[in-house]
């Protein structure tokens, strides 16, 4: 039986969720470095996503987490139910209105990375209105991951960054 890698799984989910945007890129850093950063949600998300001011893990049971995420300027957190395992993060806002997915696959000394975000509900007009800004946001998150990793490398003296 054929098995999908994490990015192929993310593509399949994106195909079934018409309101989401999926972007992929190859990050010039090894998988362990990329995923080590991304999986630390409390640190990484506010660093790479300029719309998020804070993330707190409020419950952790193995690979299942409950997090609270605060948008900049919004005093009330949005809770997410999260599945987090090596190379895979799937986050669903509660109530089920928004989803975030991240997947990573090693490719030599680099990492293929996929990032998905978008609403789980809303008719075609809602999806059309949000598609462009959402695509820019997801690309901005990927840029933020790359910037954050480069800054860590410069700070740690582990690469050109």
């Amino acid at each position: 039986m054929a098995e999908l890698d994490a990015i192929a799984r993310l593509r399949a989910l994106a195909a079934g969720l018409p309101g989401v945007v999926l972007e992929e890129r190859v990050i010039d850093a090894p998988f362990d470095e990329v995923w080590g950063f991304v999986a630390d949600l409390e640190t990484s998300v506010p660093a790479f996503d300029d719309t998020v001011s804070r993330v707190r893990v409020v419950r952790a049971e193995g690979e299942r987490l409950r997090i609270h995420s605060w948008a900049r300027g919004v005093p009330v957190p949005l809770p997410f139910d999260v599945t987090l395992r090596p190379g895979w993060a799937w986050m669903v806002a509660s109530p089920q209105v928004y989803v975030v997915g991240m997947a990573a696959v090693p490719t030599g000394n680099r990492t293929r990375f996929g990032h998905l975000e978008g609403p789980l509900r809303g008719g075609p007009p809602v999806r059309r209105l949000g598609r462009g800004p959402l695509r820019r946001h997801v690309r901005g998150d990927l840029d933020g991951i790359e910037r954050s990793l480069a800054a860590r490398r410069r700070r740690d003296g582990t690469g050109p960054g």
Side-chain angles (χ1 to χ4, degrees):
M1 176 168 69
E3 196 169 309
L4 297 176
D5 72 20
I7 300 226
R9 206 169 346 142
L10 203 60
R11 284 184 198 132
L13 286 164
L17 297 169
V20 304
V21 167
L22 171 64
E23 291 286 327
E24 299 177 36
R25 76 173 57 159
V26 175
I27 297 175
D28 192 19
F31 173 86
D32 289 340
E33 182 180 340
V34 172
W35 199 254
F37 169 69
V38 170
D40 180 3
L41 300 174
E42 288 185 328
T43 302
S44 69
V45 175
F48 73 71
D49 186 335
D50 62 8
T51 66
V52 175
S53 64
R54 185 168 60 139
V55 171
R56 287 294 168 256
V57 175
V58 295
R59 187 176 67 244
E61 297 169 1
E63 65 183 25
R64 304 272 187 220
L65 308 174
R66 175 76 162 191
I67 66 170
H68 287 173
S69 176
W70 284 264
R72 295 202 186 283
V74 178
V76 178
L78 180 61
F80 283 85
D81 293 312
V82 179
T83 300
L84 182 66
R85 60 178 70 111
W88 182 257
W90 187 252
M91 303 183 270
V92 179
S94 188
Q96 296 184 342
V97 294
Y98 199 79
V99 66
V100 177
M102 294 183 284
V105 176
T107 177
N109 269 344
R110 299 166 67 181
T111 305
R112 281 189 312 121
F113 195 90
H115 182 48
L116 168 153
E117 283 196 43
L120 288 172
R121 294 186 164 79
V126 171
R127 289 192 295 267
R128 267 196 306 278
L129 285 173
R131 187 74 105 185
L134 185 56
R135 186 166 305 283
R136 283 189 295 282
H137 173 77
V138 170
R139 286 178 182 158
D141 285 356
L142 289 169
D143 293 343
I145 290 169
E146 288 184 314
R147 272 194 311 275
S148 296
L149 288 167
R152 285 179 122 192
R153 285 180 160 196
R154 282 191 303 275
R155 185 183 67 241
D156 297 344
T158 57

